[in-house]
Amino acid sequence: MSKVLVISGSPSPTSKTELVGDYVARRLAENEWHAGHLKLRALPAEPLLRADTAHPRIATALDQVAQADGIVLATPTYKASFSGLLKTFLDLLPQYGFAHKVVLPLATGGSIAHVLVLDYALRPVAHSLGARHVVQSFFLLDKHMTRDSGDLHIRSESTGMLDDVIEQFRKALIAPF
């Protein structure tokens, strides 16, 4: 069974992006994938910012990345880019930390004007980390999501497209390279 790690880069405890990460992990688990979810906001800030890779919680997070066959990068869009929290964590990875891995970039944001964050910011970082394959990315508008008692509700037009992207990612994970 392949291992997938969803990495959520939102610093907010009420993050819709994190809930999207939960949704993706659940969908992959339905197809018998082992899917974990690394919520970067839960990592200790000081060791993360100091790049203290020897700190036990940081080392565990880095090991989760190393053990994964697939990575889902889920980020809110801030100032037309992905979150600084996600960038800080990705900077801790070795030069080819995504070697032999399939990567699915996901972003959330308030305006379709920010969709380019995926192709001009997040995708190049995934490639620079040596990803075997970066599948079609997906941008989810904030207005297509609602939060109700901690549950995420995604409008049907976005759910269908998101599920298609998850299926492409799943197929890429099992494809020979």
Side-chain angles (χ1 to χ4, degrees):
M1 179 184 299
S2 292
K3 293 180 185 176
V4 174
L5 182 64
V6 177
I7 302 173
S8 293
S10 176
S12 172
T14 60
S15 171
K16 290 180 187 173
T17 304
E18 194 171 282
L19 293 175
V20 170
D22 289 339
Y23 175 85
V24 172
R26 274 194 314 275
R27 291 305 314 258
L28 290 166
E30 289 170 5
N31 289 297
E32 300 183 9
W33 296 91
H34 175 74
H37 192 169
L38 175 60
K39 299 171 183 179
L40 297 179
R41 68 179 177 83
L43 293 177
E46 188 173 334
L48 181 63
L49 291 171
R50 282 194 338 251
D52 182 1
T53 58
H55 185 279
R57 292 192 45 211
I58 303 298
T60 297
L62 294 173
D63 187 55
Q64 287 178 289
V65 172
Q67 298 302 315
D69 301 302
I71 301 289
V72 178
L73 297 172
T75 183
T77 305
Y78 294 127
K79 310 288 187 211
S81 189
F82 59 97
S83 77
L85 181 58
L86 179 58
K87 176 69 168 115
T88 299
F89 180 75
L90 293 176
D91 285 347
L92 298 181
L93 296 174
Q95 182 174 0
Y96 297 107
F98 286 169
H100 309 293
K101 299 180 190 322
V102 177
V103 177
L104 168 57
L106 300 174
T108 61
S111 168
I112 198 71
H114 296 297
V115 73
L116 294 176
V117 66
L118 292 163
D119 289 333
Y120 291 101
L122 201 50
R123 182 177 294 276
V125 171
H127 280 295
S128 75
L129 287 167
R132 169 172 67 93
H133 181 54
V134 180
V135 300
Q136 178 66 46
S137 55
F138 188 72
F139 187 88
L140 192 56
L141 284 168
D142 286 341
K143 69 181 180 181
H144 287 197
M145 301 179 285
T146 55
R147 185 186 183 104
D148 181 31
S149 301
D151 293 328
L152 179 70
H153 300 281
I154 304 172
R155 285 179 30 187
S156 59
E157 62 266 28
S158 290
T159 303
M161 291 185 290
L162 178 56
D163 287 344
D164 288 346
V165 169
I166 294 168
E167 180 62 15
Q168 291 174 25
F169 176 66
R170 191 190 65 73
K171 287 179 180 177
L173 284 166
I174 59 176
F177 64 98

